[in-house]
Amino acid sequence: MRLLAGEIRHFLVYLDRIGRGVLGAVTVDDVRGFMVEMAPRRPAGIGNVVWSLKRFFAFLNVAGLSDVHIDGLLALAAPRRVRALPCFTREETGHLIEGIETETPCGKRDYAMVLLAFSTGLRCCDIVALRLDGIDWRRDEIRLVQAKTSKPLVLPLSALAGNAVAEWILHGRPDCGAPEVFVRLQPPLVKLGNSTGSTLMRRRLTRAGIDHVAGDGKSFHALRRTAGTRLIESGAGLPLAAQILGHARIDSSRRYFALACEQLRQCCLPLEEFTCIKEGLR
């Protein structure tokens, strides 16, 4: 909803600038002019603009506020480009995990969260929201409802990650009434905030000696990308990867093929074979 409101706000500002004070006076040419103006400014996000405009005008049509139909005009809009951000290398993964001290409550908490992310591919928001009653210790499973998709998800809890979580709960977690597994170490003793992932990664990347600059993709979400890439590298197919990562669409898991270098090499034709095919097409 925030995405839709933001895009339509830009459109309404544009209409005000060109003197269209009434929605009923908006024409197809106005929409076309807005798209021409936005295209060079939003090359990677033009799909969001199209999606928002279609839904906005569908609402206007149903409400009788506009008789302009734009589906045909925007039917061939360019698809949204997806940037393939990197995952952590195996060497970086080792440095990151080994660099977390596990003698302190903060270290125990960070260690458990990082191992959970690496082993399950869970998003930071879902790890932060994980409840004590969401862990089935008898079956070694995690049960939760994903914040992004609102879909239930059941994942296996590996021995390494499970032991780290148990160590945090038994010997690091403050005694409090919060239902979440991971809580603050200072009052108020409540669930962690939205900035937990970025704060944790800044602290741990520095300690591990891993270079990091803004926009390089080495965020908490990179732990999820790493888990997805390792799944593909292990031979897991897209359906299984999508199921484990909790993707609503299987296409969302395809991006991890771009990070699985060894699998991409296997897809390449030998130079001699490629040359023969090229010669045969002439």
Side-chain angles (χ1 to χ4, degrees):
M1 184 60 71
R2 288 195 297 269
L3 171 64
L4 178 62
E7 299 295 354
I8 297 307
R9 189 176 297 113
H10 290 304
F11 181 56
L12 294 178
V13 169
Y14 169 80
L15 292 179
D16 182 67
R17 193 171 74 245
I18 65 174
R20 292 286 190 269
V22 181
L23 289 173
V26 176
T27 66
V28 172
D29 287 337
D30 295 334
V31 179
R32 184 180 292 110
F34 176 69
M35 291 297 297
V36 170
E37 182 175 298
M38 293 296 291
R41 294 162 50 186
R42 300 281 302 282
I46 198 66
N48 291 335
V49 179
V50 171
W51 179 85
S52 301
L53 286 176
K54 283 185 175 182
R55 277 146 187 79
F56 181 58
F57 274 91
F59 165 75
L60 295 180
N61 296 154
V62 172
L65 299 175
S66 174
D67 57 0
V68 174
H69 297 275
I70 65 170
D71 285 347
L73 172 65
L74 303 180
L76 299 178
R80 180 183 178 183
R81 294 188 297 178
V82 179
R83 180 187 175 192
L85 291 171
C87 65
F88 287 109
T89 65
R90 295 186 185 277
E91 183 180 7
E92 289 175 331
T93 300
H95 289 325
L96 182 60
I97 294 176
E98 293 166 6
I100 302 176
E101 78 288 349
T102 55
E103 299 80 18
T104 66
C106 181
K108 293 180 190 297
R109 185 185 63 190
D110 288 1
Y111 185 66
M113 292 180 66
V114 169
L115 284 182
L116 264 183
F118 269 132
S119 62
T120 65
L122 283 173
R123 301 177 181 90
C124 185
C125 59
D126 291 328
I127 292 178
V128 167
L130 180 64
R131 297 168 59 96
L132 292 166
D133 58 10
I135 303 178
D136 188 333
W137 295 104
R138 293 181 180 274
R139 297 185 178 183
D140 293 326
E141 290 180 345
I142 296 176
R143 299 174 180 271
L144 53 90
V145 176
Q146 298 177 95
K148 183 175 181 178
T149 64
S150 299
K151 302 281 183 153
L153 186 64
V154 179
L155 292 172
L157 180 62
S158 69
L160 185 61
N163 289 337
V165 174
E167 178 67 18
W168 152 252
I169 293 175
L170 295 174
H171 303 116
R173 186 178 187 273
D175 185 13
C176 63
E180 291 81 17
V181 173
F182 300 104
V183 297
R184 288 167 48 92
L185 293 170
Q186 301 295 331
L189 303 179
V190 295
K191 69 177 289 189
L192 298 172
N194 296 331
S195 62
T196 295
S198 58
T199 303
L200 184 156
M201 291 305 289
R202 280 198 302 269
R203 180 166 61 239
R204 295 308 166 188
L205 289 173
T206 299
R207 189 178 181 89
I210 299 175
D211 294 332
H212 169 57
V213 295
D216 65 0
K218 293 178 181 178
S219 60
F220 195 95
H221 199 74
L223 305 179
R224 176 175 170 84
R225 289 196 297 273
T226 303
T229 303
R230 299 292 176 262
L231 271 173
I232 299 299
E233 289 177 342
S234 69
L238 277 178
L240 178 58
Q243 182 179 357
I244 292 176
L245 294 171
H247 283 146
R249 297 182 305 162
I250 193 172
D251 284 349
S252 298
S253 300
R254 294 184 186 277
R255 70 190 66 179
Y256 299 113
F257 272 116
L259 303 177
C261 298
E262 186 57 37
Q263 279 62 32
L264 287 177
R265 291 191 187 97
Q266 295 175 9
C267 295
C268 296
L269 289 172
L271 182 59
E272 298 82 0
E273 186 175 346
F274 174 76
T275 302
C276 292
I277 293 175
K278 184 178 179 181
E279 291 295 333
L281 292 175
R282 288 183 178 177

